[in-house]
Amino acid sequence: MTTDDLLTAERGIVVAPAGCGKTRLLVDTVLASSGERTLVLTHTRAGVAVIRSRLADHSVKSTQCRVATLDNWCGWLASRFPGLSGYVPTGTTRDYQTAQFGAKKVLSSSAIQAAVRATYDRVLVDEYQDCSGLQHEIALALAEVVPTIAFGDPLQRVFDFDRAMPDWANIVEAYRTSWTLDFPWRWENAGELDFGKWILRQRVALEAGRQIDFRSGPPNVRWIQLPTDTRQHRQINLEAVPHPSTKTSVFVLTHKAKTPERREFARQGIRLAVVENADLPDLMTRAAQLQEVRGRSRIELLLDLAHEVMTGIDVAGTLARIDALEKGTARNPAHAEERALIGLAMGADPAELAAILQTLAKARYVFRPDLLESFCDAARLANGERTLKEAAAYVRDRRASLGRKVAPRAVGSTLLLKGLEADHTVVIDADSMKATDLYVAISRGARSLTVVSASPLLPVVR
């Protein structure tokens, strides 16, 4: 299969196992369509950032190729034609689905179809296995207007939640022509071809409903057994992560439901950054809270936020110290951080929040950089015409459209790290993963894989 096959097809789907060159093929297809305009849609901000970075390496201009998440593009389309779409954004997570319904309505208009045809020569939809039923309908509506190629892998379907997901066989049938990638380029490029071939064999096993025995992998694969005493689990998981001095990229993957556990894990001082959810719910919550309060509550909420994003913040101790300073009972005079916090109680300028957070961060490790940077951006943007909550929504949406780069040492869910790669992967909570999450987790690392679990046979049969 070559890019010529994709460029001459009116409609088709590429079945792309992890690490087999899907992103390179997608970028090569854009490059080979010189003079034409391509719309590339994917599902995550990190995916957008990766594709844009690869295109930028080849000096592809934005006029030649637009890259966006499917949700972001639907929001843009529905907002451009509110009369047709009926879309009224509320600033909540409900906007994603209402924007999709609105985009589908807009695409049913013959005038809009003509405009889409005049704007794009081709549509490429990445990570197609994660399309909901409604997103699948939107992609097919585009396919009725311009040539459309989908890229996906049913064994990487981790965006399930409570959404109705289309059957993969029906997806393949709808796209009429299919091709399959089968060479492990990720591992070949890292000089670890045998490791890559082993990963592909495990994919076949998982597709057939069989378990993987992590005791029998190649030298790149290490299995660490968790004891029955759960009090030892955190330390064992921490010791499984390569030390920061190795100067290599590391992904730590957990089950997608383990959000609080990932944050606490990153807090433990091993230089990991948390990969945030795309809709940044904590940004919106903190902005709404800090927009309304004054006085001591303002200090307390800011310290709570600082504790959420960086190490070395003693909320109770700092509040007690400020109380003592204000009462004149403190033995030592206030230092710069404390003076800034005391002044915060008397102020109302949101920009003060950003200034103090950045001062606190200078001497501490920030393990949730996305949340900190987003809040500081919002605080600086807030003014008399834009509330802090409105500024936070603007920052959230802008970051969604720009895409995001994941830190080289990151902890995240299979949902958030799917489609990305690192030198080394550590999978914790592996016993709780089903086949799709497990496959996504084990296929991120190009050089090594460490699995921490109670059983060497995964996924666990329930």
Side-chain angles (χ1 to χ4, degrees):
M1 188 197 75
T2 67
T3 55
D4 287 342
D5 295 316
L6 303 188
L7 292 173
T8 55
E10 285 296 311
R11 188 184 298 194
I13 186 164
V14 179
V15 180
C20 287
K22 177 202 65 179
T23 303
R24 183 168 70 175
L25 177 62
L26 187 152
V27 169
D28 285 348
T29 302
V30 174
L31 296 174
S33 59
S34 178
E36 296 185 341
R37 296 152 301 174
T38 306
L39 172 65
V40 177
L41 300 174
T42 188
H43 285 273
T44 66
R45 291 191 294 142
V48 168
V50 168
I51 294 169
R52 285 180 176 169
S53 176
R54 298 279 187 93
L55 291 171
D57 289 342
H58 296 279
S59 302
V60 175
K61 297 179 180 178
S62 58
T63 53
Q64 182 184 348
C65 183
R66 177 176 180 178
V67 185
T69 65
L70 206 156
D71 280 340
N72 185 259
W73 187 79
C74 285
W76 170 82
L77 184 66
S79 298
R80 286 288 302 273
F81 304 97
L84 283 172
S85 68
Y87 174 57
V88 180
T90 63
T92 68
T93 55
R94 292 193 300 272
D95 287 348
Y96 293 113
Q97 188 167 51
T98 54
Q100 291 171 25
F101 278 114
K104 184 183 175 185
K105 289 179 184 177
V106 171
L107 288 171
S108 67
S109 161
S110 58
I112 301 301
Q113 290 172 3
V116 170
R117 194 177 296 113
T119 304
Y120 304 115
D121 298 291
R122 183 170 292 98
V123 176
L124 306 178
V125 187
D126 194 16
E127 304 289 359
Y128 205 94
Q129 73 280 348
D130 292 324
C131 284
S132 66
L134 179 56
Q135 290 171 330
H136 175 50
E137 291 173 9
I138 292 167
L140 289 180
L142 284 168
E144 292 294 329
V145 180
V146 293
T148 299
I149 302 295
F151 299 77
D153 178 6
L155 205 59
Q156 296 185 68
R157 177 174 274 182
V158 293
F159 270 80
D160 45 13
F161 298 117
D162 296 323
R163 304 187 307 174
M165 307 294 285
D167 182 77
W168 184 256
N170 292 339
I171 291 174
V172 174
E173 182 179 358
Y175 278 90
R176 301 171 189 166
T177 303
S178 66
W179 307 269
T180 300
L181 304 179
D182 58 6
F183 188 81
W185 285 107
R186 172 175 298 161
W187 297 275
E188 164 75 359
N189 293 338
E192 300 290 351
L193 181 58
D194 288 343
F195 180 29
K197 290 179 178 179
W198 181 85
I199 293 288
L200 283 181
R201 289 197 297 273
Q202 307 323 301
R203 181 184 185 278
V204 173
L206 291 172
E207 269 197 314
R210 300 194 300 272
Q211 293 176 300
I212 301 173
D213 186 345
F214 286 96
R215 296 169 299 188
S216 60
N220 314 71
V221 179
R222 179 173 61 140
W223 174 66
I224 299 175
Q225 185 171 24
L226 285 175
T228 55
D229 184 356
T230 57
R231 292 172 297 180
Q232 301 178 43
H233 288 190
R234 174 180 286 184
Q235 188 58 37
I236 290 171
N237 286 330
L238 288 170
E239 291 174 355
V241 180
H243 193 271
S245 63
T246 59
K247 303 296 182 183
T248 54
S249 56
V250 179
F251 285 166
V252 178
L253 291 106
T254 74
H255 189 276
K256 54 197 171 212
K258 303 272 186 168
T259 301
E261 291 84 350
R262 286 194 294 276
R263 294 170 183 171
E264 282 307 305
F265 195 74
R267 189 190 293 280
Q268 302 308 308
I270 53 175
R271 297 283 162 173
L272 292 173
V274 174
V275 183
E276 303 286 346
N277 290 335
D279 56 348
L280 292 171
D282 290 343
L283 168 66
M284 302 308 299
T285 298
R286 290 299 182 178
Q289 292 172 336
L290 281 158
Q291 176 177 289
E292 302 297 334
V293 298
R294 297 291 181 270
R296 189 179 189 278
S297 294
R298 198 174 191 224
I299 300 174
E300 185 172 354
L301 283 172
L302 186 74
L303 285 171
D304 282 341
L305 173 57
H307 177 72
E308 277 193 24
V309 302
M310 65 185 79
T311 59
I313 299 293
D314 178 2
V315 177
T318 303
L319 288 173
R321 167 80 174 152
I322 288 173
D323 288 342
L325 287 166
E326 291 181 328
K327 292 174 183 176
T329 59
R331 292 184 178 181
N332 300 313
H335 55 67
E337 287 182 0
E338 292 166 342
R339 290 195 298 272
L341 286 167
I342 291 169
L344 184 67
M346 298 179 288
D349 183 0
E352 295 172 340
L353 302 171
I356 294 175
L357 283 170
Q358 290 184 320
T359 298
L360 293 172
K362 286 179 180 177
R364 297 168 175 88
Y365 179 65
V366 176
F367 59 90
R368 297 184 68 185
D370 263 6
L371 178 56
L372 177 63
E373 291 168 14
S374 297
F375 184 87
C376 289
D377 286 348
R380 286 188 289 264
L381 284 171
N383 50 43
E385 297 179 358
R386 179 185 278 161
T387 67
L388 182 57
K389 187 176 178 181
E390 290 168 342
Y394 171 79
V395 169
R396 176 198 62 193
D397 295 343
R398 183 182 65 186
R399 289 173 78 91
S401 66
L402 293 175
R404 99 178 132 193
K405 291 185 177 180
V406 172
R409 290 179 59 88
V411 55
S413 66
T414 53
L415 191 68
L416 296 170
L417 290 172
K418 184 175 62 63
L420 306 181
E421 70 173 270
D423 294 314
H424 308 285
T425 295
V426 180
V427 185
I428 59 179
D429 299 316
D431 295 286
S432 64
M433 292 183 178
K434 61 184 182 180
T436 49
D437 287 293
L438 184 65
Y439 174 62
V440 168
I442 69 172
S443 58
R444 298 307 95 205
R447 299 185 183 278
S448 78
L449 165 66
T450 300
V451 176
V452 186
S453 62
S455 170
L457 299 174
L458 299 172
V460 173
V461 177
R462 305 187 190 283

